[in-house]
């Protein structure tokens, strides 16, 4: 075994100090030397021809991610993108990192196995609204509750793109598609609410065409130790064009987009017509005109993304509706909780440390012999 | 000598059987065991569905099966008697706990009159022992214990009595009880006292003529232990990973009868074994595959229903060509079927239960101890050929046990693996590139290039890929070439497995009996029996189901008649007939129990006596 990249070497040397919690999402991942760091978007662009439809929101997201990745300061070989199935799940092919285009809905499970056994990798999951919330709903909520150190980018175009336009679990009620000729009768999921309900430790929302915002969210998600879920509203010009026009339109945007800022009141609207979120005495949240607000309207809601109790973050996620009257954007929740993978490795390292050294042939011989043996001469 | 302990599922029969087995193993007897318990954790007390039993066959010679029929039945209540009597040959001994033969308990199982009084048991040697009251009496001094607590020790009384009858030392049971109940001195004391009381009862009463001696069986020199199939299989995986110098990562979802593999491996963190209990079977295999992608030995363990759920991910592993081990401890099916009983009906699911042409190797152990070697073999194939491998055990092997000669770790095969670390090709401009699907010319395995290796960044997926470069490719000829390559890779494994050999002592038998997996013991025992009757019969056994060993066709064609006994509807027979165009006949049974020697003797005799032209 001459090769330095033997698993034993990769995993050796106490990956987790269980006394001192790890804080940053990239802790334990070797950093690139300044001179060998991939510096530009081009370094992360693979030789594969990108094959989404013209105008697809996926292009802008790809661009943003490729431009953002150099910022991590990691070597390319320590980054892995794992996707499911869908238009969005073609994403890994276009990035010059390690990648796996897996099967429909199962990427969070595969990524859990990889991230837990390889603390030296930055693991990303790419998924769609159908992939993550229909077929893969179970794996998604379990990854979130476990808090595996992964970043999940959920491309939500509110439609099944790859299978040519059936409604998805995020399509609005009444949606007419090929499989719902007289309108969908399904109640949709709000992915952010779902993630908060699963007690995810990092939940955020962004928009495909807002590159600056998305980059900022990616930065925070990568820094977060634990499962970070980032919902990205993504336009599918072929099967669900304009799904997010109401919040992309410059004239309406300001009145609709609620930018969440930690420690600040939750506000929407332009100077002059600004509204602020209050909690009425019945406990409900509603917007009132900032200038006309009185004590009796209730308390102003100040966003606290670090609040361990997800109730208020959840309530904020619910101010959204199918007409997108008010759409919260940004980081809903960001709390520290030990990660599954650190804990799993911690138990393992502790057991090896207690035994003094990794198991030898003699240890294995003692194990298989058990307590009751006899000898035949 | 075959003993069956039978009682209510709350009576501790499995524990009693286990202890008697350990005592017998310690004496150097050869042995085989068959636990048989209900699927319900606590079926209603005293009823037929609640009966749990443990059969042990021990001898001073080579033992091949847990035995067809008990020489001694220990029946702890009327339900246990009723459920097991049909298996006990006339003349054999039956020990009953008379205290449990109350009107109420008799009525629960439909006895109008007590069989102990109505003469219906006259053809058996019945020993009526008031086990419960004798136990309570023996524990009179344990003031802190309730009557219920004391009653619970009656299985130890029974064990003490049987230990005396067969001259088994109780030292190992004492040590076991001490470590189990050390923290509860009262309970420990009561169990030890009940054990002694049972032993003394045998020694002092007249009803048991004398103690039997069953001496050690001649066995190859070495150190032995008794082992169940699930334990041996888990240890085989650990040893395989150790010899491959890979981290073992298990992703698993609990299911009978495979859960003990998850339990065992979960306790081996000290050996660097990483286990994750997943949210379902699909996630279990996903976790394992993700770990394999990262350079670990990914393993997932399940039973038939779980294998069905894993199918799509296993297909992905076939396409990704990464090592992966899928353990299927088969149970009765379809659907939930018979969760605690054995069957071999997942063979075709293992072989073909995936979409598309998705060949993979299948290995099946033949006995509980052989689960260790089969697991090592699965590791060898998976890592050498970069392929998922199905390891097909079954409920009988999983819970049954036998003596196992412990291997020397250093003499186990060296399975060390080398990851790819260099670019292996050049692009059109002559610049070095990495080709993830450039194969080893001999094994056809592709490079195992793990994340973290500079310069080897690549993307793989379930979409068909171009030969060599691994880029997405939908061309007709390429798909056909890749399909053939995947098949040839699996077929090529045959060159590394021992050729099939028939056991044909006279060399001129007419009939070949072909088995696979856990039918090895019963088939061998039946053949031995027939040979003592002067009949000629050959046997052969398959431990590799895919690919089949070299010379399988030659061996089959040497015999005029072929009989394939299987615990399914005839699945191996189907494969053999298709592959070799031979007239293999099936002896197929699905009773949830292993074959008895007697029924196989009968089936083989019928095959020997049949007109070979019949049925053509
Ligand atoms: C097991 C399985 N079922 C169904 C499909 C077909 N299928 C592929 S992608 C997809 C839906 C994708 O929708 P989404 O996740 O929203 O991705 P998008 O294409 O919109 O990016 C479906 C139903 C499949 N590939 N595998
Ligand atoms: S179908 Fe829609 S989501 Fe898919 S590539 Fe085309 S535009 Fe994008
Ligand atoms: Mg979609």
């Amino acid at each position: 075994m001459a090769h330095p990249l033997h698993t034993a070497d990769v995993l050796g040397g106490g990956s987790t100090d269980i006394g001192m919690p790890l804080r940053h999402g990239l802790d334990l991942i070797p950093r690139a030397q300044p001179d060998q760091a991939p510096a530009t978007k081009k370094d992360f662009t693979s030789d594969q021809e990108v094959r989404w439809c013209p105008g697809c929101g996926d292009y802008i997201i790809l661009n943003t991610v490729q431009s953002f990745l150099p910022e991590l300061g990691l070597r390319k070989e320590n980054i892995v993108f794992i996707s499911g199935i869908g238009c969005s799940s073609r994403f890994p092919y276009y990035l010059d990192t390690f990648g796996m285009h897996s099967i429909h809905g199962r990427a969070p499970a595969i990524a859990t196995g990889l991230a837990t056994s390889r603390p030296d990798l930055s693991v990303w999951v790419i998924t769609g609204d159908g992939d993550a919330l229909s077929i893969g709903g179970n794996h998604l909520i379990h990854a979130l509750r476990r808090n595996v150190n992964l970043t999940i980018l959920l491309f939500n175009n509110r439609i099944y793109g790859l299978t040519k336009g059936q409604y998805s679990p995020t399509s609005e009620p009444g949606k007419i598609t090929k499989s719902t000729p007289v309108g969908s009768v399904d109640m949709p999921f709000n992915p952010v609410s779902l993630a908060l309900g699963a007690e995810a430790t990092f939940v955020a929302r962004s928009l495909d065409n807002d590159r600056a915002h998305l980059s900022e969210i990616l930065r925070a998600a990568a820094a977060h130790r634990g499962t970070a879920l980032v919902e990205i509203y993504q336009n599918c010009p072929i099967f669900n064009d304009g799904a997010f026009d109401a919040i992309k339109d410059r004239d309406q945007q300001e009145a609709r987009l609620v930018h969440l800022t930690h420690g600040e009141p939750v506000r929407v609207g332009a100077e002059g017509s600004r509204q602020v979120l209050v909690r009425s005495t019945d406990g409900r949240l509603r917007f009132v005109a900032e200038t006309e607000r009185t004590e009796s309207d209730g308390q102003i809601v100040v966003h606290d993304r670090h609040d361990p109790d997800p109730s208020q973050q959840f309530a904020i996620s619910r101010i959204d509706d199918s007409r997108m009257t008010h759409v919260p954007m940004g980081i809903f929740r960001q709390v520290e909780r030990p990660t599954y993978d650190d804990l799993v490795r911690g138990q393992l390292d502790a057991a090896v440390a207690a035994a003094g050294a990794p198991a030898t042939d003699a240890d294995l011989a003692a194990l298989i012999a058990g307590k009751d043996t006899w000898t035949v001469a | 000598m075959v003993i069956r302990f039978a009682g209510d599922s709350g009576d501790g029969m499995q524990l009693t059987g286990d202890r008697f087995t350990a005592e017998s193993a310690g004496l150097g007897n050869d042995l085989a065991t068959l636990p048989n318990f209900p699927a319900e954790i606590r079926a209603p007390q005293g009823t037929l569905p609640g009966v749990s039993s443990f059969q042990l066959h021990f001898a001073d010679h080579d033992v091949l099966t847990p035995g067809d029929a008990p020489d001694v039945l220990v029946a702890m209540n009327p339900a246990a008697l009723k459920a097991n009597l049909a298996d006990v040959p006339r003349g054999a001994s039956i020990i009953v706990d008379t205290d449990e033969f109350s009107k109420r308990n008799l009525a629960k199982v439909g006895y109008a009159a007590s069989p102990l009084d109505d003469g219906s048991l006259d053809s058996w040697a019945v020993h009526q022992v008031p086990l419960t009251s004798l136990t309570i009496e023996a524990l009179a001094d344990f003031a802190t214990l309730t009557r219920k607590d004391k009653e619970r020790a009656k299985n130890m009384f029974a064990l003490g009595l049987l230990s005396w009858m067969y001259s088994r030392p109780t030292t190992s049971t004492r040590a076991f009880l001490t470590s189990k109940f050390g923290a509860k001195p009262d309970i420990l004391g009561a169990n030890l006292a009940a054990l002694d009381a049972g032993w003394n009862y045998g020694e002092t009463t007249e009803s048991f003529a004398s103690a039997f001696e069953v001496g050690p069986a001649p066995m190859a020199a070495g150190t032995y232990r008794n082992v169940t199939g699930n334990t041996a299989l888990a240890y085989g995986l650990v040893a395989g990973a150790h010899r491959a110098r890979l981290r073992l990562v298990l992703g698993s979802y609990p299911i009978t009868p495979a859960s003990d593999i998850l339990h065992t491996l979960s306790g081996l963190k000290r050996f660097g074994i990483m286990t994750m209990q997943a949210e379902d079977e699909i996630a279990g295999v996903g976790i394992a595959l993700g770990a394999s992608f990262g350079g670990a030995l990914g393993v997932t363990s399940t039973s038939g229903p779980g294998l069905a759920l894993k199918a799509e991910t296993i297909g992905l592993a076939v396409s990704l060509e990464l090592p992966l081990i899928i353990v299927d401890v088969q149970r009765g099916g379809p659907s939930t079927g018979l969760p605690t009983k054995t069957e071999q009906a997942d063979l075709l699911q293992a072989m073909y239960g995936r979409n598309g042409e998705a060949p993979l190797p299948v290995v099946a152990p033949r006995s509980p101890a052989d689960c260790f070697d089969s697991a090592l073999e699965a590791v060898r194939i998976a890592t050498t050929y970069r392929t998922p491998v199905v390891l097909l055990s079954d409920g009988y092997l999983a819970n049954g046990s036998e003596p196992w000669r412990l291997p020397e770790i250093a003499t186990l095969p060296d399975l060390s693996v080398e990851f790819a670390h260099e670019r292996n090709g050049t692009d059109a401009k002559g610049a070095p590139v990495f080709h993830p699907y450039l194969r080893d010319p001999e094994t056809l395995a592709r490079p195992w290039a793990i994340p973290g290796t500079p310069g080897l960044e690549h993307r793989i997926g379930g979409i068909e890929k171009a030969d060599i470069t691994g880029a997405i490719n939908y061309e007709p000829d390429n798909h056909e070439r890749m399909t053939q390559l995947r098949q040839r890779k699996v077929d090529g494994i045959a060159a590394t497995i021992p050729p099939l050999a028939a056991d044909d002592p006279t060399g001129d038998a007419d009939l070949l009996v072909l088995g696979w997996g856990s039918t090895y013991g019963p088939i061998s025992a039946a053949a031995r029996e027939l040979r003592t009757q002067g009949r000629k019969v050959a046997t052969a056994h398959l431990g590799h189901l895919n690919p089949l060993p070299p010379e399988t066709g030659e061996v089959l064609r040497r015999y005029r008649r072929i009989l394939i006994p299987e615990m399914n509807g005839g699945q191996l027979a189907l494969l053999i007939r298709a592959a070799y165009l031979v007239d293999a006949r099936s002896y197929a049974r699905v009773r949830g129990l292993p074959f008895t020697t007697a029924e196989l003797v009968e089936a083989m005799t019928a095959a020997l006596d049949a007109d070979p032209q019949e049925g053509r």
Side-chain angles (χ1 to χ4, degrees), chain B residues 294-559:
Chain B
L297 176 66
V299 180
T300 188
S301 53
T302 191
S303 185
L307 186 63
L309 286 173
K310 293 176 197 293
E312 192 194 6
T313 312
I314 298 171
L316 175 64
V318 168
S319 178
L320 297 182
E321 303 192 41
L322 284 171
L324 176 70
I325 293 176
I326 304 106
V327 180
D328 175 10
V329 186
Q330 301 163 96
R331 63 191 218 181
S335 188
T336 306
L338 306 173
T340 58
K341 313 287 181 203
T342 195
E343 205 161 279
Q344 294 181 299
D346 292 347
L347 175 57
L348 293 182
Q349 184 183 207
M351 289 286 294
Y352 300 116
R354 289 166 295 285
N355 59 303
E357 293 294 342
L360 52 68
V362 180
V363 176
R366 61 168 65 181
S367 72
D370 187 48
C371 287
F372 181 87
D373 297 316
S374 296
L376 270 177
E377 175 67 351
V379 175
R380 177 188 76 85
I381 294 174
T383 53
T384 310
Y385 293 88
R386 316 279 148 84
T387 175
V389 177
V390 174
L391 184 51
L392 266 187
S393 178
D394 65 35
Y396 163 46
L397 296 177
N399 293 315
S401 65
E402 66 174 348
W404 172 35
R405 189 157 71 103
L406 295 168
E408 196 84 56
I409 301 299
T411 63
L412 295 175
D414 179 359
L415 303 178
S416 50
V417 186
E418 195 140 1
F419 296 127
H421 53 277
E422 264 159 23
R423 292 173 171 164
N424 56 1
T426 46
D427 66 10
K429 290 177 214 139
V433 289
F434 179 59
H435 287 148
Y437 279 77
L438 181 64
R439 294 165 192 280
D440 178 287
E442 198 183 318
T443 59
L444 298 182
R446 72 175 196 90
W448 192 359
I450 66 169
T453 319
L456 303 196
E457 297 82 11
H458 66 282
R459 278 65 54 194
I460 51 176
I463 298 186
E464 187 59 283
K465 36 212 136 323
D467 190 12
I468 301 174
T469 67
I472 293 181
N473 188 302
Y474 299 107
E475 285 162 27
D477 289 345
N478 176 72
H479 176 53
E480 185 148 64
R481 182 162 58 249
M482 291 300 278
T483 304
Q484 285 165 354
L485 277 168
R486 288 186 286 259
Q487 182 68 53
R488 271 175 45 209
K489 181 175 83 165
V490 173
D491 293 346
I493 298 166
T496 63
I497 60 187
L500 185 67
D503 175 26
D504 185 355
T506 56
D508 60 349
D510 222 20
L511 172 69
L512 174 75
V513 183
L514 181 69
W516 72 275
S518 74
T519 57
Y520 174 77
I523 290 174
S524 308
R528 181 188 286 174
E529 168 92 33
L530 278 172
R531 287 167 191 158
T532 62
Q533 294 172 17
R535 310 220 53 173
K536 292 173 179 171
V537 54
T539 58
H541 197 78
L542 294 169
H544 292 85
L545 281 308
N546 196 34
L548 290 164
E551 289 173 38
T552 302
E554 288 81 343
V555 169
L556 294 171
R557 290 192 191 97
R558 227 174 280 147
Y559 295 88

Side-chain angles (χ1 to χ4, degrees), chain A residues 3 6 77 97 118 361 374, chain B residues 222 224 242 245 421 451-452 459:
Chain A
H3 185 248
H6 201 275
E77 65 266 24
T97 63
R118 291 289 304 272
D361 282 8
W374 70 96
Chain B
Y224 286 78
H242 182 79
R245 285 180 261 172
H421 53 277
R459 278 65 54 194

Side-chain angles (χ1 to χ4, degrees), chain A residues 88 128-131 155-162 168 170 234:
Chain A
S88 36
D129 43 319
D131 194 64
F155 293 31
N156 184 4
N157 54 9
R158 297 196 163 160
I159 200 81
Y160 287 178
L162 192 71
S168 90
T170 56
Q234 172 238 326

